[in-house]
């Protein structure tokens, strides 16, 4: 009987060959050493906070300004704390505390469709007909999450309705699917039912635990252990509700982040990271400024600037920044040309992302676009290299293999290399 | 006026986007400025209209006017700059606002310039650039959802005694020019769309205001409520108020054109109202505000950002997205 996953493609031949030439599917890293590294990685408590600028923010009004040229728009550029590096005048706070951030200005991702672009940037590659890849949240939940942890591994805030529905754990399965928060910053359906008192609930949990423990005696089964873990996670999720309660933060911390919905979500993301959640995505929609691009960015970029700077300051003061990677990313950027509605349209040929904190050379810029921002002039990279860079910044071997049946599937496509210049 | 007689007299394509125009009286010449940060002297009657290019700002130029024989420009760099028209030489620069200047206008007696900007300040200046007065407390710096607001529009009453200003969230204020005292406020909330659910930002705002010739009515222009705020997809909208009573007397919604009404101007004797603006393409709207109807709606081949009339509105210069057009009408 043929395996539907193994279609015999060139990629699979490469992967099988690669697998057979190494002892454990990761070039040069024996399996036991890999497991040891993996355990060590999980102990380090690393996290990622992804600020997902849904709809596609304009690189020209944020990280790659081009003042004074026909495509540049009305905004000026201001110098950052790194001499010679300029960003949009709409981001004065990030300009001042640029020391932990690297701008990558040379993304060419070739997909200007919202859905396709979002999938590509979250996964680093396109799905195959018979293989759905996990997004970076699922991968990082698996790589950085502690199996015994009782907090969620992957939390995704997407309260706006535009641009949703692209998260996915792919072949990793529902264990690594995100806890999606789409109606409120508080998780739904995790409250104890009103008709069960707290003491009843504790008694029931204790009784179930007793029976399970007795049943497991003398039995050795992964299924049983998984069963126990599942109950533990449910209990953990119910107990983790307070992590989503921003009112538990001191008022001065709330004031620092600001009063907007995005600010509240980012503050909750920090609370989650502090509690050990390895991957949190906060989507801020919707940047799709086909009309009135400059008004839209004048409205939205200062919020991003303020909240991002507040987050980085907060993480640094808590000693968390060295173990937390903050990413700004979208499905694409926006056209250098300005349309007749004073808008900018979808543009995936030369746009920007940022990485801040864990494993990153701060205060730096990688890559360059041409004078009008129409093409990448230097250091072009695609989605795969970006994800490889993110994985390596977190100490994860980007060529590590997962197995779908017996097929080895590396975290990023074969031959993909991280951008070394970005990595500390 | 015979509105159906309107015809395109001149139509010139350009590389830049023009936001401001100051017409040289009794000619088809003008100073225009916009996205290339420069001022251009142009003659619409010439096949190659560019006469001269000079000076400039460090951001988009948004507004131009002629006062005391000088050209005054304003821009998103917050500066007002004075230029000698004969030589194009800059002779005065004032840091007028901390944020984008949206518009400068000249009082009917030609002695006072009013500026409005995104620092939400209204400022009155002598034509020599001396600050007379500022009014700062009425247009809120933040929208109700804590985002930066914008102050787009202003107009003097025909006798110069009052100044109307209007902002992004649809708040309208009438000020007494001599004292700076607020004398009336009105709201046009339909012109501001905040999308709390799908996209969580805003679009719209009041972009133009004009007093009627008798000074009693105030027209404001913008666009209607927008479903998908990625685009300016709502129809062009004008509202008229008896401002002393803060009473809305007319709502005019174009059935042919979408986008923002960026310029409003009453005919000084006949009393009809001219509106201009656009989105992907532009429009001229001729309205009878008492009868609450459009008299004529004319398509313009580009999004219009500014207008300069002449010869009692029989000659209409419009400038905007990569184009400038001269229309003429028969009286």
């Amino acid at each position: 009987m043929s395996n539907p996953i193994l279609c015999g493609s060139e990629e699979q031949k490469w992967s099988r060959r690669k697998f057979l030439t190494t002892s454990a599917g990761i070039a040069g890293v024996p399996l036991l050493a890999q497991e040891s590294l993996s355990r060590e990685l999980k102990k380090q408590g690393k996290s990622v906070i992804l600020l997902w600028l849904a709809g596609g923010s304009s690189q020209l009004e944020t990280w790659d300004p081009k003042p004074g040229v026909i495509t540049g728009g009305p905004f000026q550029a201001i110098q950052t704390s790194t001499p010679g590096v300029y960003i949009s005048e709409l981001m004065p706070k990030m300009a001042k505390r640029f020391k932990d951030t690297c701008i990558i200005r040379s993304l060419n991702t070739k997909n200007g469709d919202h859905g396709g672009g979002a999938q590509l940037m979250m996964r680093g590659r396109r799905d195959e007909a018979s293989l759905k890849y996990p997004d970076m949240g699922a991968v990082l939940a698996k790589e950085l999450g502690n199996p015994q942890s009782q907090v969620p591994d992957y939390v995704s805030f997407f309260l706006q309705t535009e641009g949703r529905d692209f998260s996915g754990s792919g072949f990793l399965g529902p264990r690594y699917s995100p806890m999606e928060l789409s109606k409120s910053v508080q998780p739904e359906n995790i409250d104890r039912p009103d008709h069960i008192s707290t003491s009843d609930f504790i008694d029931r949990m204790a009784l179930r635990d007793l029976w399970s423990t007795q049943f497991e005696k003398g039995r050795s089964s992964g299924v049983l252990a998984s069963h126990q873990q599942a109950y533990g996670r449910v209990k953990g999720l119910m107990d983790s509700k307070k992590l989503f309660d921003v009112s538990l933060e001191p008022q001065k911390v709330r004031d620092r982040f600001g009063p907007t919905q995005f600010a509240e979500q980012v503050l909750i993301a920090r609370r989650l990271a502090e509690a050990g959640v390895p991957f949190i995505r906060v989507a801020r929609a919707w940047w799709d400024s086909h009309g009135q691009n400059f008004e839209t960015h004048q409205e939205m970029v200062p919020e991003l600037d303020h909240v991002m700077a507040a987050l980085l300051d907060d993480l640094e003061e808590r000693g968390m920044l060295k173990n937390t990677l903050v990413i700004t990313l979208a499905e694409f950027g926006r056209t250098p040309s300005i349309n007749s509605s004073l808008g900018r349209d979808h543009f995936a040929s030369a746009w920007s992302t940022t990485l801040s904190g864990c494993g990153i050379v701060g205060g730096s810029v990688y890559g360059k676009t041409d004078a009008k921002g129409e093409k990448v002039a230097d250091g072009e990279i695609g989605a795969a290299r970006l994800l490889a860079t993110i994985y390596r910044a977190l100490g994860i071997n980007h060529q590590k293999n997962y197995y779908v049946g017996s097929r080895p599937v590396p975290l990023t496509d074969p031959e993909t290399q991280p951008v070394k210049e970005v990595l500390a | 006026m015979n509105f159906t007689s309107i015809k395109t007299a001149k139509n010139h394509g350009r590389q830049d986007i023009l936001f401001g125009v100051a017409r040289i009286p009794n000619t088809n010449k003008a100073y225009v400025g916009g996205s290339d940060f420069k001022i251009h002297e142009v003659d619409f009657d010439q096949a190659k209209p560019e006469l001269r290019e000079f000076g400039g700002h460090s951001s988009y130029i948004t507004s131009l006017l002629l006062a005391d024989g000088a050209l005054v420009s304003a821009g998103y760099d917050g500066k007002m700059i004075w230029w000698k028209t004969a030589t194009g030489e800059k002779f005065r620069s004032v840091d007028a606002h901390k944020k984008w200047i949206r518009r400068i206008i000249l009082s009917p007696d030609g002695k006072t310039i009013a500026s409005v900007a995104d620092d939400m300040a209204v400022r009155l200046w002598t034509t020599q650039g001396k600050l007379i007065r500022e009014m700062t407390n009425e247009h809120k710096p933040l929208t109700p959802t804590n985002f930066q607001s914008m102050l787009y529009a202003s107009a003097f009453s025909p006798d110069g005694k009052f100044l109307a200003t209007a902002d992004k969230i649809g708040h309208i204020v009438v000020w007494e020019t001599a004292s700076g005292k607020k004398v009336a406020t009105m709201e046009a909330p339909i012109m501001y769309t905040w999308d709390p659910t799908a996209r969580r930002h805003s679009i719209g705002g009041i972009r133009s205001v004009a007093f009627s010739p008798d000074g009693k009515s105030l027209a404001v222009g913008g666009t209607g409520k927008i479903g998908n705020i990625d685009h300016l997809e709502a129809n062009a909208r004008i509202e008229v108020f008896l401002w002393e009573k803060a009473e809305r007397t007319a709502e005019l919604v174009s059935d042919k054109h979408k986008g923002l009404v960026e310029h409003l101007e009453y005919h000084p004797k006949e009393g009809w109202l001219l509106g201009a603006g656009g989105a992907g393409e532009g429009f001229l709207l001729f309205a009878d505000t008492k009868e609450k109807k459009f008299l004529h709606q004319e398509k313009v081949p580009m999004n219009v950002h500014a207008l300069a009339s002449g010869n009692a509105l029989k000659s209409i210069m419009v400038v905007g997205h990569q184009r400038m057009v001269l229309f003429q009408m028969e009286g």
Side-chain angles (χ1 to χ4, degrees), chain B residues 220-267:
Chain B
V220 301
T223 191
K225 286 290 179 204
I226 296 177
N228 176 354
I229 61 171
D230 296 349
H231 306 268
L232 284 167
E233 64 175 23
N235 290 356
R237 179 179 183 86
I238 297 167
E239 296 184 20
V240 183
F241 295 83
L242 278 173
W243 66 267
E244 285 177 301
K245 296 179 180 175
E247 176 187 330
R248 185 182 292 105
T249 57
E251 295 177 68
L252 292 138
V253 179
S254 172
D255 58 350
K256 291 188 168 66
H257 299 288
K258 296 181 187 302
L260 296 159
V261 178
E262 299 214 47
H263 179 95
L264 283 172
E265 182 173 348
Y266 278 94
H267 188 282

Side-chain angles (χ1 to χ4, degrees), chain B residues 1 3 12 36 38 64 77 91 106 109 122 126-127 129 131 159 175 190 237 241 244 251 255 278 292 319 329:
Chain B
M1 191 73 72
F3 299 108
H12 300 287
D36 70 353
K38 295 186 179 115
L64 295 161
D77 57 7
F91 67 93
L106 187 64
D109 66 3
V122 183
T126 68
T127 52
L131 180 65
D159 60 8
W175 312 86
I190 293 176
R237 179 179 183 86
F241 295 83
E244 285 177 301
E251 295 177 68
D255 58 350
K292 303 176 186 176
V319 301
M329 282 192 298

Side-chain angles (χ1 to χ4, degrees), chain A residues 74 76 285-286 291-292 295 299, chain B residues 58-59 152 199 202 207 230 279:
Chain A
Q76 296 297 298
W286 180 249
Q292 299 282 291
E295 314 291 308
E299 185 173 51
Chain B
S58 57
S59 185
Y152 290 114
R199 294 169 173 83
S202 69
R207 303 303 181 100
D230 296 349

Side-chain angles (χ1 to χ4, degrees), chain A residues 111-131:
Chain A
N111 191 326
D113 166 67
H114 283 298
Q119 289 208 2
L120 178 65
M121 298 317 297
M122 285 297 289
R123 288 163 176 73
R125 52 194 159 188
R126 298 174 200 280
D127 284 340
E128 298 172 21
S130 58
L131 188 64

